[in-house]
Amino acid sequence: MSGINYTACLVLTVGRVNWRNKITSDYVDSALARTNTGLTLMNLTTYLKVADDANTLQVVLVRHKSVLSQWLARAHLEEAAAECMVNESVWFPSVDAGVMQQLISIIVAGLGSFWARYLADTEAAIQVEHFGPPLAEWDPDWAFSGIATFGHLPHVRYLVQPRELFDIAVIGVPFDGAVSYRPGARFGPRGIRAASTRHIPSRGFSTHAAVNPYQSWARIIDCGDVPVTPLDNAVALRQISSAFLELGSRQSCLGAKMRPKLLILGGDHSVSLPALRALHTIYNQPIALLHFDAHLDTLHPNTYPNMWGSTEFNHGSVFWTASNEGLLLNRSSVHAGLRTRLTGRDWEDYEADARQGFLRLSTELVDEIGTEAVTEIIFEHMGSLVPVYVSIDIDVIDPSFAPGTGAPEAGGWTTRELIRMLRGLSRLNIVGADIVEVAPAYDSQGEITGLAAAQLGYELIVNMVQAGMSLQ
């Protein structure tokens, strides 16, 4: 019986018995004894996937530690091999992961935090059958085929694969539990990805920036969504914050030259708060905010009906909270595209916003001085050195161009005007960005809101790639 077939038989056998009671270390030992060193490792790995008894597991590992040691030596990991032989309890080598091409981590069911690690160097080391090179003729996708990742980017669930490296990652946050008007932005990440399928990497060359961001220096991936709960906002906030901190704290493919960057697809605007918290921790300093929005989002929570107590975590107070927590570089932050109505009878909302240090640019300013001049005002205020987080609420665009949003405001910019401004801001030191408040349920049949958001995401990625070219 070949090694590969034998492994399959072992899996089937395990599945047909009550292994919790019947599979013992002797059972596994007798099965493994009939295989060579490489296949012993494979079959032992298969066993570990179903074992949940710590004593049995320890017996098997110790009994076969000589085999494991031999395999490690074959993979030129003498230090790990020596550790394997010395350890009299459980084999758990601490090996430099950089030596290996792949890390196979096996979570042993029922053992909680107990992990068994096996490192694979080459296919020959574990005698895996080789089925030939990838079939290149089946690789290219059309715009309408394949899984709907952002721009047909590779999908890697980085939150569950911590060893993988990236330079720029697209991450969705399907959360809309903090809206004050129409819900539905939890479907924003899916809608934006579906609209981005026209962005095939092989046809991603930007005639404005003279670069194809998907075929340049950066490893850009779509790492899926944060699986955020819709049932408890406090838990959701912790989940989103932990996810952003986990991803943003990793090393990029460039190492110390550049930190990895996230393009976040919301979700309502509250997702910007955990993003700013993560960036403040990662960079150990306040972050300048470039905020494209029809609304201020610096409102005090008590400006909402509060007879039953205020709710601080909402999409209209997100930057009020960020400012109070010291997350923002207030004298360098900008609102652009404002045209909302204010609270009460006077200018208190604007006065409170000014105390938080924001420069406010209205929608009408584009009509008065043009997109280039508005862009230059933003750049002069923010500069090229401070870390900048770009947050785009899709309602900054007029509802005639982006109706699919939760709080539409008439009289906004065109999609083209916003794209021109983003292109003019490539000199900013953008460390992260989000596109929020896309609610596909209110979009047109032609999905024009999703198309606009997808294009804005592409432009932000182009800016990030341009900024990193000088680091090569």
Side-chain angles (χ1 to χ4, degrees):
M1 183 181 296
S2 70
I4 296 296
N5 291 336
Y6 180 73
T7 301
C9 289
L10 179 59
V11 173
L12 291 175
T13 302
V14 168
R16 291 180 179 179
V17 299
N18 183 353
W19 55 268
R20 189 182 298 271
N21 297 322
K22 298 181 180 179
I23 291 187
T24 66
S25 58
D26 292 331
Y27 174 88
V28 176
D29 182 57
S30 62
L32 297 182
R34 308 207 310 264
T35 65
N36 59 30
T37 300
L39 292 177
T40 296
L41 182 66
M42 291 181 63
N43 292 325
L44 182 57
T45 299
T46 301
Y47 171 71
L48 292 180
K49 289 181 179 179
V50 297
D52 77 337
D53 181 79
N55 293 328
T56 297
L57 181 64
Q58 178 170 312
V59 169
V60 172
L61 287 172
V62 172
R63 184 173 297 174
H64 293 283
K65 69 179 181 178
S66 61
V67 173
L68 299 173
S69 178
Q70 293 173 34
W71 178 80
L72 287 169
R74 290 174 59 187
H76 305 293
L77 294 176
E78 289 78 4
E79 181 180 348
E83 180 180 347
C84 177
M85 292 303 296
V86 170
N87 194 336
E88 292 299 332
S89 56
V90 176
W91 178 70
F92 198 97
S94 55
V95 183
D96 181 7
V99 179
M100 313 307 296
Q101 295 179 347
Q102 186 179 8
L103 172 66
I104 303 174
S105 298
I106 303 158
I107 307 176
V108 182
L111 294 181
S113 62
F114 190 95
W115 291 71
R117 294 185 180 179
Y118 285 90
L119 304 176
D121 187 16
T122 63
E123 289 182 341
I126 58 173
Q127 301 183 11
V128 175
E129 271 187 26
H130 183 61
F131 296 97
L135 300 178
E137 63 266 29
W138 299 110
D139 184 50
D141 266 316
W142 290 89
F144 50 81
S145 67
I147 303 300
T149 63
F150 186 87
H152 292 269
L153 289 170
H155 175 219
V156 181
R157 295 188 68 197
Y158 277 89
L159 287 172
V160 296
Q161 299 188 39
R163 298 288 182 177
E164 294 283 346
L165 301 181
F166 64 90
D167 297 302
I168 301 170
V170 179
I171 177 96
V173 185
F175 175 78
D176 60 6
V179 298
S180 59
Y181 190 43
R182 301 193 300 194
R186 69 179 61 181
F187 297 104
R190 181 174 297 180
I192 297 171
R193 287 188 175 105
S196 75
T197 55
R198 283 275 294 154
H199 300 196
I200 303 173
S202 61
R203 292 189 178 179
F205 183 80
S206 168
T207 58
H208 167 76
V211 64
N212 183 336
Y214 306 126
Q215 296 181 351
S216 185
W217 62 268
R219 187 183 187 198
I220 309 174
I221 52 85
D222 187 328
C223 56
D225 292 343
V226 179
V228 58
T229 179
L231 306 176
D232 188 316
N233 280 7
V235 174
L237 181 58
R238 291 202 308 272
Q239 289 177 309
I240 302 168
S241 300
S242 297
F244 291 164
L245 187 59
E246 165 68 25
L247 292 173
S249 298
R250 294 182 186 171
Q251 180 175 307
S252 73
C253 298
L254 291 181
K257 292 182 179 180
M258 190 193 81
R259 297 183 184 275
K261 299 182 180 182
L262 301 181
L263 172 60
I264 299 163
L265 308 180
D268 68 46
H269 219 147
S270 65
V271 305
S272 298
L273 178 60
L276 289 167
R277 285 174 174 170
L279 288 171
H280 185 271
T281 299
I282 293 166
Y283 285 87
N284 195 29
Q285 68 178 93
I287 306 298
L289 173 68
L290 175 53
H291 175 218
F292 292 101
D293 201 327
H295 310 93
L296 288 169
D297 290 357
T298 55
L299 298 179
H300 192 287
N302 287 342
T303 60
Y304 291 98
N306 58 82
M307 287 70 69
W308 296 84
S310 66
T311 303
E312 183 173 318
F313 184 52
N314 68 80
H315 70 160
S317 302
V318 57
F319 299 129
W320 175 87
T321 303
S323 180
N324 285 341
E325 292 183 4
L327 307 179
L328 299 180
L329 192 60
N330 290 336
R331 298 302 169 185
S332 295
S333 295
V334 178
H335 299 299
L338 296 174
R339 60 186 185 277
T340 186
R341 296 161 299 282
L342 303 181
T343 306
R345 302 179 179 180
D346 55 21
W347 301 93
E348 173 55 29
D349 288 347
Y350 274 3
E351 292 168 357
D353 185 76
R355 289 192 293 271
Q356 296 174 48
F358 279 89
L359 172 67
R360 293 185 303 278
L361 305 177
S362 69
T363 299
E364 294 78 16
L365 193 60
V366 166
D367 300 325
E368 298 168 6
I369 63 175
T371 56
E372 289 81 1
V374 171
T375 300
E376 194 59 31
I377 291 173
I378 294 173
F379 180 75
E380 289 179 359
H381 190 74
M382 308 191 83
S384 61
L385 299 179
V386 300
V388 174
Y389 184 78
V390 180
S391 182
I392 302 176
D393 188 323
I394 203 67
D395 69 26
V396 74
I397 300 175
D398 190 83
S400 60
F401 300 98
T405 189
E409 299 285 354
W413 287 332
T414 66
T415 308
R416 181 177 61 196
E417 287 169 336
L418 182 53
I419 289 172
R420 290 189 67 179
M421 282 184 272
L422 285 180
R423 289 175 175 175
L425 293 169
S426 61
R427 297 170 291 172
L428 295 178
N429 178 22
I430 298 174
V431 297
D434 65 45
I435 303 169
V436 298
E437 300 288 355
V438 174
Y442 313 116
D443 206 355
S444 68
Q445 289 184 339
E447 302 175 317
I448 58 175
T449 310
L451 292 171
Q455 183 64 32
L456 296 174
Y458 167 80
E459 300 295 343
L460 288 166
I461 290 174
V462 168
N463 284 0
M464 293 177 184
V465 170
Q466 278 187 295
M469 285 181 171
S470 61
L471 303 176
Q472 304 309 301

